[in-house]
Amino acid sequence: MSYGGYKETRIIRWSIFISAFIFIGFMVILPLTTVFYFALKNGFTVYIQALTRPESISSIQLTLLVGATALTLNTIFGIAIAWAVSKFDFAYKRLLVALIDLPFTVSPVIAGMVFILLFGSDGFLGEWCINHDIKIVFSTTGIVLATTFVTLPFVARSLISLMTTQGREEEEAAVTLGADFMTTFWKVTLPSVKWALLYGMVLCFARAIGDFGAVSVVAGSMKSVTIEIFELYNEYLSSEAFALASVLTFVALVALGIKKSIEKFHSENGGKNEY
Amino acid sequence: MSIEIIDVSKKFDTYEALNNINLSIQPGELTALLGPSGSGKTTLLRIIAGLESADTGGILFDGIDITESSVRSRGIGFVFQHYALFKHMNVFENVAFGLRVKPKKERLSEGEIRHKVEELLNLVQLKFHAKSYPHELSGGQKQRIALVRALAVEPKVLLLDEPFGALDAKVRKELRAWLRRLHDETGVTSLFVTHDQEEALEVADKIVVMNRAKIEQEGTPEEVYAHPASPFVYSFLGEVNLFHGRHPSQEEGVKTITYVRPHDVDIYTEFHENTIPATIIGLRVIGGTVRVELQEIDGHGVEAHISSSRKDQLGLSVGLKCFLAYRNQKHFEKNEFYKDYSI
């Protein structure tokens, strides 16, 4: 039996197909092209000039620094959390797993505000920070913290599900063969999840450099790429704004490409390796 | 190496996995831990390996207490039911793993490792698969790799957890015979867990029958098969017919259960002394054996296994009236029976 045999189902099928295409076109493809169109509207020289302004360069530097730091932190903690959750049993494990998802559900603005409330001059830890000459709010540290919070689930999530299905047998086998704790981790656990790890890292980085909500609350006078774009646009400097936007968009597209090729590679090779 | 298990108990939350287990295993023996699922046999094996810790009691290897020793210092080899091969390593690297992770001063040179791994792969006839990855191998090949991977580090004890449980019947039979040969060649003290009585009877020097967190009986395959210590062992080790209240010298008030194996049922077409009249209600020919389903005159069902030549000789067919004699009857008191079967 096939669905295509009847005229009605064919019409329904085509209308769903077309509406999906219109939707994606309108919501994704059109805005994307707009970014590149406006960025390059005044010619390539203007585009390069817009990108090489000192403000643009410093915002790109800040964003890369923040993105790399948040990525490093979340990779280390993501691996640690996933390892703990999937290979060991302990109390409140399910609560911990549930909490990992919190940054996905909480608005980034709130995430930023939390750090102001904690470390700002009126905050719980604000006085302590001032006394010890530690500056968190309105500094790179604050931006890194807010970004790390927002992107925390990516690495942990992509590892937990895979590591849980893989179970503990390979680690047990390694230990019976004489491997110590760290050797087991480096030679058995980590290699078996490398593609999932890379996948999570790509998503984490893409999200980290694109965040606006949390960063704008804690940044103060500092400017990440997203804040710079927002301010340029408000000052009616649209070609500068779109030039920077095109850089972010390009990075996002590259990340998407890497993500897709990991998925493809994983299903062709790694997928079979799993069982 | 000898293994001594002393007063070992283990609970998982409220579930009792092992209840005061005592067992000693002689050096060079191939022992089967046999029991139904949930009987505690795998838990016991994992405690010996150090992958699980006992709540109480201890383990001695060659008289030395290793209860608190780490897994890696115990010198054991462990084979898992689902192979647990390292999926991201090829066959060669899998086998070499244990040799490569040794501390520097004990580690063999790269050339020696290569030589040793090749030798081991030859032993299991998988030399040409050295570069293959686990997902490219069949189940039987995977388990052979898992076995030589465990043997590569020259363990003093080899522990196998349902090693053939995930394989199909034919491969399982081949690997069984191969394991027995391998054990005879290497002489390493081995302990394997199985729920397959045929496997245990065929391969092991000694069988330890477990049920409900306890050891029911231990002994050679002949001993446990011919002289089962409890109704559980009797029925777990082979097919049975059972009858209520047929003990010849039955005392007042003591209810008994009588067991007879199907191959201990003799069928006659004419009346003999001490035979019971019955009717054939079914015949199934399986290779050289015939399974005869019968009904005694009081309606009780009985199964008999006879050779197909015997069947032809007697001219058996469905509906035929015949007479049954039971050899090697085994009687147990009924309360023993309920101890095992009431849940």
Side-chain angles (χ1 to χ4, degrees):
Chain A
M1 249 209 292
S2 90
Y3 286 113
Y6 302 96
K7 205 180 170 190
E8 296 92 298
T9 52
R10 210 158 52 221
I11 291 166
I12 292 168
R13 206 174 51 180
W14 276 102
S15 47
I16 292 173
F17 188 65
I18 288 165
S19 46
F21 245 78
I22 290 172
F23 185 77
I24 295 288
F26 190 71
M27 297 300 292
V28 180
I29 298 169
L30 191 63
L32 267 182
T33 8
T34 313
V35 170
F36 289 104
Y37 172 75
F38 278 104
L40 293 163
K41 196 174 70 172
N42 298 328
F44 199 65
T45 342
V46 179
Y47 178 73
I48 294 296
Q49 271 170 3
L51 286 182
T52 48
R53 289 162 60 243
E55 294 89 344
S56 301
I57 288 172
S58 75
S59 75
I60 290 173
Q61 281 169 341
L62 178 65
T63 292
L64 285 180
L65 177 69
V66 168
T69 318
L71 175 64
T72 312
L73 289 173
N74 277 331
T75 303
I76 294 168
F77 290 117
I79 291 171
I81 292 167
W83 198 26
V85 164
S86 58
K87 311 287 173 185
F88 302 95
D89 292 314
F90 52 88
Y92 304 114
K93 187 159 118 173
R94 286 165 65 172
L95 183 69
L96 180 70
V97 175
L99 281 177
I100 291 168
D101 281 340
L102 194 69
F104 274 164
T105 51
V106 165
S107 157
V109 177
I110 296 169
M113 272 168 58
V114 168
F115 286 100
I116 298 264
L117 292 175
L118 261 182
F119 298 112
S121 48
D122 300 328
F124 284 127
L125 301 168
E127 206 167 319
W128 186 85
C129 286
I130 291 165
N131 291 341
H132 289 78
D133 203 21
I134 298 168
K135 199 164 159 46
I136 291 178
V137 172
F138 309 135
S139 75
T140 315
T141 319
I143 302 176
V144 166
L145 278 180
T147 310
T148 306
F149 177 86
V150 171
T151 56
L152 184 132
F154 288 102
V155 174
R157 267 287 136 208
S158 65
L159 290 183
I160 286 173
S161 54
L162 175 63
M163 285 167 83
T164 308
T165 49
Q166 282 184 343
R168 302 173 193 176
E169 274 203 344
E170 284 189 43
E171 279 83 4
E172 287 179 346
V175 173
T176 62
L177 290 167
D180 60 27
F181 198 68
M182 287 321 284
T183 311
T184 305
F185 176 72
W186 286 112
K187 292 199 162 178
V188 176
T189 308
L190 206 54
S192 66
V193 297
K194 59 178 185 253
W195 292 113
L197 178 65
L198 192 59
Y199 184 92
M201 285 170 73
V202 168
L203 292 183
C204 175
F205 186 72
R207 181 74 183 81
I209 62 165
D211 182 68
F212 176 72
V215 169
S216 63
V217 178
V218 291
S221 62
M222 304 189 75
K223 289 187 180 63
S224 69
V225 174
T226 49
I227 296 171
E228 183 72 16
I229 292 169
F230 184 69
E231 293 190 353
L232 287 172
Y233 188 73
N234 280 350
E235 290 160 23
Y236 301 104
L237 295 165
S238 65
S239 53
E240 281 84 355
F242 278 107
L244 266 184
S246 74
V247 173
L248 275 191
T249 312
F250 180 72
V251 174
L253 288 173
V254 170
L256 188 70
I258 297 174
K259 174 177 169 283
K260 278 289 147 203
S261 50
I262 292 171
E263 279 168 0
K264 186 160 179 281
F265 186 80
H266 197 68
S267 64
E268 278 170 13
N269 299 286
K272 265 182 252 157
N273 285 342
E274 256 152 52
Y275 295 99
Chain B
M1 189 167 67
S2 72
I3 306 172
E4 206 88 33
I5 296 149
I6 303 160
D7 297 335
V8 166
S9 295
K10 173 79 179 174
K11 266 187 180 176
F12 293 106
D13 294 326
T14 56
Y15 176 74
E16 190 174 51
L18 294 171
N19 180 3
N20 206 27
I21 300 291
N22 284 283
L23 181 65
S24 66
I25 287 154
Q26 301 312 309
E29 255 181 359
L30 177 53
T31 306
L33 285 175
L34 174 68
S37 58
S39 58
K41 54 196 193 307
T42 293
T43 307
L44 182 58
L45 195 77
R46 289 174 63 86
I47 287 175
I48 296 170
L51 293 170
E52 212 82 67
S53 60
D55 295 341
T56 60
I59 312 280
L60 310 182
F61 280 2
D62 268 344
I64 298 158
D65 188 350
I66 52 107
T67 315
E68 299 297 322
S69 307
S70 70
V71 179
R72 43 194 296 258
S73 63
R74 292 191 185 195
I76 52 127
F78 202 98
V79 176
F80 295 82
Q81 179 176 6
H82 298 289
Y83 331 120
L85 293 177
F86 306 125
K87 296 178 214 75
H88 60 281
M89 293 182 202
N90 65 25
V91 164
F92 185 94
E93 288 305 320
N94 261 284
V95 178
F97 185 86
L99 302 171
R100 289 201 202 286
V101 299
K102 274 189 195 296
K104 237 190 184 106
K105 55 183 188 295
E106 293 171 38
R107 202 185 303 158
L108 300 172
S109 71
E110 187 56 36
E112 287 168 313
I113 290 177
R114 189 152 288 278
H115 180 73
K116 184 157 189 181
V117 173
E118 276 163 8
E119 211 172 62
L120 284 162
L121 290 178
N122 263 337
L123 180 72
V124 288
Q125 290 151 15
L126 286 169
K127 181 167 65 163
F128 299 110
H129 291 81
K131 291 252 179 327
S132 304
Y133 280 84
H135 72 265
E136 297 166 318
L137 303 177
S138 71
Q141 289 172 327
K142 280 185 208 170
Q143 199 55 298
R144 279 186 284 165
I145 293 299
L147 253 159
V148 288
R149 181 179 67 173
L151 289 173
V153 292
E154 293 173 13
K156 291 173 282 176
V157 177
L158 186 61
L159 305 167
L160 308 102
D161 183 11
E162 300 260 6
F164 314 127
L167 304 170
D168 60 61
K170 188 167 172 290
V171 179
R172 195 170 356 177
K173 263 202 140 65
E174 283 168 18
L175 273 190
R176 252 186 233 167
W178 179 78
L179 174 70
R180 181 68 238 185
R181 277 204 311 278
L182 191 78
H183 178 265
D184 293 341
E185 281 166 30
T186 58
V188 57
T189 310
S190 309
L191 195 57
F192 76 100
V193 159
T194 180
H195 62 266
D196 181 343
Q197 22 84 16
E198 198 186 311
E199 191 166 290
L201 291 168
E202 193 180 306
V203 177
D205 295 320
K206 180 172 151 186
I207 294 180
V208 177
V209 185
M210 292 189 68
N211 184 34
R212 294 184 168 198
K214 287 193 157 178
I215 292 176
E216 289 270 338
Q217 189 176 6
E218 49 181 297
T220 63
E222 297 77 34
E223 273 165 20
V224 290
Y225 190 82
H227 306 290
S230 68
F232 172 80
V233 177
Y234 196 98
S235 52
F236 197 71
L237 282 181
E239 290 173 76
V240 290
N241 292 298
L242 58 92
F243 309 95
H244 296 266
R246 288 230 184 126
H247 199 285
S249 59
Q250 198 165 20
E251 290 172 47
E252 273 298 304
V254 180
K255 300 232 165 106
T256 59
I257 305 252
T258 301
Y259 287 83
V260 179
R261 299 246 186 250
H263 61 249
D264 284 329
V265 177
D266 284 334
I267 303 176
Y268 299 100
T269 42
E270 285 153 27
F271 178 78
H272 286 64
E273 207 148 305
N274 289 328
T275 58
I276 296 159
T279 313
I280 296 175
I281 56 172
L283 283 169
R284 271 179 297 148
V285 183
I286 299 159
T289 342
V290 182
R291 292 173 178 233
V292 190
E293 280 176 69
L294 301 119
Q295 199 164 34
E296 286 186 356
I297 200 133
D298 63 0
H300 196 287
V302 176
E303 185 165 310
H305 295 178
I306 57 168
S307 70
S308 57
S309 55
R310 176 86 181 136
K311 174 205 150 217
D312 295 339
Q313 192 187 343
L314 291 167
L316 300 184
S317 62
V318 175
L320 189 78
K321 301 255 187 281
C322 52
F323 300 89
L324 304 178
Y326 302 134
R327 285 177 283 131
N328 298 324
Q329 298 184 42
K330 183 88 181 154
H331 310 284
F332 292 100
E333 280 186 18
K334 202 162 183 173
N335 50 7
E336 272 183 282
F337 176 84
Y338 282 119
K339 191 182 71 196
D340 278 315
Y341 289 92
S342 59
I343 294 171

